[in-house]
């Protein structure tokens, strides 16, 4: 089972999408890149058999495997897989903060000890995640920091996730959030990391999540690992 | 500093309202009743000087003092006082789940280590707390249990608070929530406890919070302590 210190120590997480294809050879290179963990998920309409196939492939490597399942039905129940489940701090609807979790509970889900809550702060209004979660992305710097503050100090969640999905975020905002961290909660950053320069800019402040680029430019991806 | 085991061990909490008056003699009786802790707060427009006076009076006794401040400005900063701060699981607005907490963070509040989050589930639609928090009280038994489940197992909050303010709740629903508790989170019940019989009915399942009756029938109140 993962512990909080391990999560906080990660520099780089690779996000794999079950709906995109990667060769076995490519996957081996990713696994050997020095990335600290693999997060599987990220699309809304996940094909469960593809999800299962991908998780099983990744489990052959000696690396922590995290799932971000969009619903309990999408969970692939395997030893050693943790579930990283978002709550969207800046959603305009309670559904994305607490409501969908109640549906999980009502579905009979019981494996809460495998769940790591992620406090998402969604910051690109044009992203599909912003639309899907009804996120209010029109936030001042102070409001972004305050959401991170509440997530770590009031709710005491293990992870704050600055989600700029589809665009590269503002490093000074990520830096301000980083300065506000309490030393217990981990800070994740995702969005628009496609080369080493951008990776290093955000890795200064947060664990970086890198995904899309690996399907388009594997060599570029390999350069994003700090 | 309070620990979670202490909170979970409480049978009876007295809720004092700074806007209501109680004689020194009456207060002494309350403090000597066997109640486990005193929770100060509960009204929306609290007069801060009355709040301070009441907190200071209660601090003369050897009993845990908890404040439920409606905003950071209402906090009376005293050694030994903990802040019990609600998040309303079944609110229809994110403001009451996470938004007002961001305002706390932005106001410069820093004493998070004195804060104990309470996962309120508000269940009397006619109560002023339901109206103020925009609570959706039209919940099935399974939905109430699922909110408690998410509060304790996803958010891992220290307290679930079934708030029937102004009416006596359904003991079988409180019993179902009680059965669902994970042994770590404490379960609080509040609402309509005015005599020993009702107190004992709910004390079987939860830490009971008793308030209003003490201002109207002090002897009746004393009978509510298990």
């Amino acid at each position: 089972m993962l512990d909080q210190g391990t999560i906080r120590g990660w520099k780089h997480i690779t996000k794999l999408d079950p709906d995109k294809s990667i060769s076995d050879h490519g996957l081996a290179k990713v696994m050997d890149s020095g990335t600290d963990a693999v997060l599987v998920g990220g699309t809304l309409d996940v094909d469960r058999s593809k999800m299962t196939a991908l998780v099983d492939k990744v489990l052959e490597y000696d690396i922590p495997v995290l799932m971000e399942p969009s619903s309990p039905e999408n969970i692939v129940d395997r030893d050693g897989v943790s579930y990283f489940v978002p709550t969207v701090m800046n959603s305009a609807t309670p559904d994305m903060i607490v409501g969908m979790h109640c549906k999980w509970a009502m579905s009979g889900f019981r494996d809460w000890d495998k769940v790591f809550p992620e406090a998402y702060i969604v910051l690109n209004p044009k992203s599909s995640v912003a639309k899907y979660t009804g996120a209010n992305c029109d936030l001042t710097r102070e409001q972004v920091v305050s959401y991170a503050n509440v997530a770590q100090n009031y709710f005491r969640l293990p992870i704050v996730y600055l989600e700029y999905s589809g665009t590269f975020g503002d490093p000074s905002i990520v830096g301000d959030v980083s300065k506000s961290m309490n030393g217990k909660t981990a800070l994740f950053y995702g969005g628009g990391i496609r080369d080493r320069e951008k990776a290093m800019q955000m890795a200064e402040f947060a664990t970086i999540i890198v995904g899309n680029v690996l399907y388009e430019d594997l060599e570029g991806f390999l350069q994003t690992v700090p």
Side-chain angles (χ1 to χ4, degrees), chain A residues 25-101:
Chain A
H25 179 67
L27 185 64
K29 278 192 164 182
V30 169
M31 296 295 124
D32 200 37
S33 65
T35 191
D36 294 300
V38 171
L39 182 63
V40 178
T43 48
L44 304 178
D45 300 304
V46 171
D47 177 321
R48 199 171 181 283
S49 69
K50 286 184 199 164
M51 176 78 104
T52 308
L54 180 57
V55 167
D56 284 341
K57 255 189 194 170
V58 177
L59 279 170
E60 292 172 17
Y61 295 87
D62 183 26
I63 194 164
V65 180
L66 329 170
M67 283 191 64
E68 216 172 42
S70 53
S71 82
E73 295 86 55
N74 284 332
I75 283 181
V76 179
D77 186 10
R78 294 285 187 276
D79 280 351
V81 176
S82 305
Y83 311 136
F84 277 44
V85 179
T87 172
V88 182
M89 293 283 105
N90 62 324
S91 174
T93 158
D95 256 18
M96 292 292 155
I97 309 171
V98 58
M100 64 175 183
H101 313 79

Side-chain angles (χ1 to χ4, degrees), chain A residues 137-157:
Chain A
C137 306
D138 184 21
L139 301 174
T140 65
R141 172 183 305 264
E142 289 71 26
Q143 283 174 314
V144 176
V145 172
S146 78
Y147 276 117
N149 200 331
V150 168
Q152 58 185 312
N153 295 315
Y154 178 75
F155 287 109
R156 289 157 203 167
L157 297 178

Side-chain angles (χ1 to χ4, degrees), chain A residues 84-145:
Chain A
F84 277 44
V85 179
T87 172
V88 182
M89 293 283 105
N90 62 324
S91 174
T93 158
D95 256 18
M96 292 292 155
I97 309 171
V98 58
M100 64 175 183
H101 313 79
C102 287
K103 287 174 197 139
W104 278 52
M106 290 176 73
S107 78
F109 179 77
R110 290 288 173 273
D111 283 340
W112 296 107
D113 56 342
K114 295 173 86 170
V115 168
F116 292 79
E118 299 172 302
Y120 263 59
I121 307 171
V122 175
L123 292 167
N124 176 12
K126 293 179 182 159
S127 63
S128 55
V129 60
K131 284 166 192 161
Y132 178 69
T133 63
N136 169 23
C137 306
D138 184 21
L139 301 174
T140 65
R141 172 183 305 264
E142 289 71 26
Q143 283 174 314
V144 176
V145 172

